[in-house]
Amino acid sequence: MHLYNKVDKKILEQKIKESAVPRTTVSFYKYHQLEDPQHFRDELYSKLDAVGVLGRIYVANEGINAQISVPTENFESFKHELFSYPWLNGIRLNIAIEENSFSFIKLKILVRKKIVADGLEDSTFDVTDSGVHVQADEFNHLLEDENTVVVDFRNHYESEVGHFKNALTPDVDTFRDSLPVIKEILEDKKDKNLLMYCTGGIRCEKASAWFKHNGFKNVYQLNGGIIEYTRQVKEKGLENKFIGKNFVFDKRLGERITDDIISVCHQCGEPCDTHTNCNNQACHLLFIQCEKCAEKLNGCCCDACKDISLLPLEEQRILRKGIDPGRKVFKKGKGPQLLYKQQ
């Protein structure tokens, strides 16, 4: 069998749209020393493909990081295959807050240098020496402590649409940017309670260990991130201290946590928290766009991109030949054409 998907994206999207099979979206991660990531990757691809798993998985010498969707009827079979690896047996699976069968269209498993790009070359700190994992009720209690500094370890376009009350939300493009920026901001607060959170917990796992290594004495991290927090809040009837949307890295681009809309359309300034990618595939800029602007600009970020998006597909392909918009990570949510981007 092929250990990668070769079917055209448009065909895959249409196949998912036409399918009536309910799917469950789930994420998980684990830091673990892998001797042969490529062998593990190939074996895992075969097992997950056999039970209909779609999604994006990163594998490295340091472990695994996955965001996937599974046919709901095959969920137990998926768990059986995953848990067949002793080091993954019983791993926490973060089930999506809002279900959507269109979160992924194919299975992609990539071998990377790291499961989260952090930019750290310091090998003297122990990534397993992480902060204290706290549940939703403990997190809420620490939030009320005047000796606590709560920090969002996500990117600017994530925290823009939703974050915890009173959280420090650094204006950073990537996780690797956030570590030195936050360290500098908190340099004189090493005796405070450093309470950190992210989407599902993986960024905090490494960040908490790094901040402990750099002299921060009381480091806490939200166990399971925003996803698990929301589940526990609902299950236990706790006060929800998160406001807005939780940004997610799949086709949904967000899960509604509360009805609060804390951001605006980047093109007209009206309240909006719907992320989209520019419909001009040579641009693919991530930004926030309301329905009126989407209709006016054909889902594009500017008039120039709109004009390109209305060209025949063959002409568009010629214009974007050699352009790889997926690598332009620093364009996410920022650009001179976005007049109402919150800085």
Side-chain angles (χ1 to χ4, degrees):
M1 65 170 291
H2 294 293
L3 296 179
Y4 55 92
N5 192 294
K6 299 196 297 183
V7 182
D8 182 81
K9 176 182 176 182
K10 295 293 184 183
I11 296 176
L12 291 172
E13 288 179 341
Q14 189 62 34
K15 184 178 178 181
I16 286 293
K17 287 179 181 178
E18 293 175 351
S19 174
V21 176
R23 303 185 70 89
T24 299
T25 301
V26 60
S27 61
F28 61 89
Y29 68 88
K30 178 76 173 181
Y31 281 99
H32 176 81
Q33 190 61 37
L34 280 175
E35 295 298 325
D36 190 345
Q38 186 64 51
H39 174 77
F40 171 72
R41 178 264 174 212
D42 292 346
E43 186 177 78
L44 184 67
Y45 190 103
S46 297
K47 290 186 175 185
L48 298 188
D49 185 60
V51 293
V53 171
L54 305 175
R56 180 178 55 251
I57 301 175
Y58 297 141
V59 175
N61 285 115
E62 65 177 9
I64 185 171
N65 178 18
Q67 296 86 40
I68 62 173
S69 79
V70 186
T72 305
E73 62 183 10
N74 292 348
F75 196 74
E76 289 304 316
S77 298
F78 153 70
K79 286 173 62 178
H80 174 77
E81 296 293 354
L82 188 68
F83 291 175
S84 67
Y85 296 98
W87 62 281
L88 290 174
N89 189 20
I91 189 174
R92 184 186 65 245
L93 302 175
N94 286 327
I95 307 297
I97 299 162
E98 289 184 348
E99 197 43 69
N100 187 318
S101 295
F102 308 122
S103 52
F104 296 100
I105 62 171
K106 65 181 178 179
L107 177 61
K108 180 186 292 186
I109 305 182
L110 302 174
V111 175
R112 290 279 183 89
K113 182 180 179 182
K114 295 184 178 183
I115 56 176
V116 175
D118 53 35
L120 298 176
E121 301 299 334
D122 185 353
S123 60
T124 64
F125 84 100
D126 181 5
V127 69
T128 64
D129 184 25
S130 56
V132 178
H133 292 70
V134 296
Q135 306 302 328
D137 53 353
E138 301 168 281
F139 186 87
N140 282 358
H141 178 72
L142 281 166
L143 275 177
E144 299 300 323
D145 190 332
E146 62 181 17
N147 195 46
T148 294
V149 178
V150 59
V151 184
D152 192 322
F153 272 82
R154 301 173 303 152
N155 306 325
H156 68 88
Y157 52 89
E158 299 175 78
S159 60
E160 182 176 4
V161 295
H163 55 74
F164 280 100
K165 298 172 184 177
N166 302 319
L168 172 65
T169 56
D171 182 22
V172 293
D173 295 303
T174 65
F175 177 57
R176 71 170 66 214
D177 292 337
S178 71
L179 297 174
V181 167
I182 294 171
K183 180 175 178 291
E184 182 178 354
I185 293 173
L186 302 181
E187 195 60 43
D188 61 345
K189 296 179 175 61
K190 290 187 176 181
D191 291 327
K192 296 277 189 181
N193 296 324
L194 173 53
L195 182 60
M196 56 178 65
Y197 70 90
C198 56
T199 306
I202 187 170
R203 283 176 276 191
C204 291
E205 203 73 40
K206 182 165 286 187
S208 65
W210 191 73
F211 274 83
K212 285 179 67 178
H213 178 70
N214 280 277
F216 288 80
K217 297 179 173 58
N218 308 303
V219 181
Y220 301 88
Q221 63 188 92
L222 180 57
N223 190 37
I226 299 164
I227 297 174
E228 176 63 12
Y229 174 88
T230 304
R231 187 191 70 78
Q232 290 185 19
V233 162
K234 291 179 179 178
E235 184 180 271
K236 300 178 181 179
L238 304 174
E239 179 185 357
N240 184 4
K241 293 182 178 293
F242 187 93
I243 53 175
K245 254 185 179 181
N246 177 35
F247 184 95
V248 292
F249 290 90
D250 59 52
K251 292 180 75 66
R252 296 172 298 156
L253 294 177
E255 298 177 314
R256 173 68 59 195
I257 307 296
T258 71
D259 292 332
D260 304 275
I261 298 178
I262 65 172
S263 53
V264 300
C265 173
H266 287 163
Q267 294 170 318
C268 70
E270 288 298 308
C272 180
D273 57 9
T274 302
H275 273 102
T276 190
N277 287 107
C278 180
N279 199 29
N280 171 17
Q281 295 303 304
C283 173
H284 206 62
L285 174 68
L286 178 73
F287 66 106
I288 296 174
Q289 185 179 54
C290 69
E291 291 184 4
K292 288 183 179 179
C293 289
E295 183 177 356
K296 177 183 175 182
L297 291 166
N298 194 37
C300 293
C301 67
C302 61
D303 287 321
C305 280
K306 175 187 175 182
D307 292 341
I308 292 174
S309 73
L310 295 174
L311 293 173
L313 287 177
E314 272 308 312
E315 289 188 39
Q316 290 187 48
R317 291 192 182 101
I318 293 172
L319 287 173
R320 67 172 181 261
K321 189 175 182 180
I323 297 175
D324 182 8
R327 302 296 297 171
K328 298 178 181 178
V329 294
F330 296 105
K331 287 183 63 180
K332 287 185 177 178
K334 290 183 178 179
Q337 70 274 53
L338 304 180
L339 301 179
Y340 293 90
K341 162 65 184 174
Q342 295 177 3
Q343 301 295 341

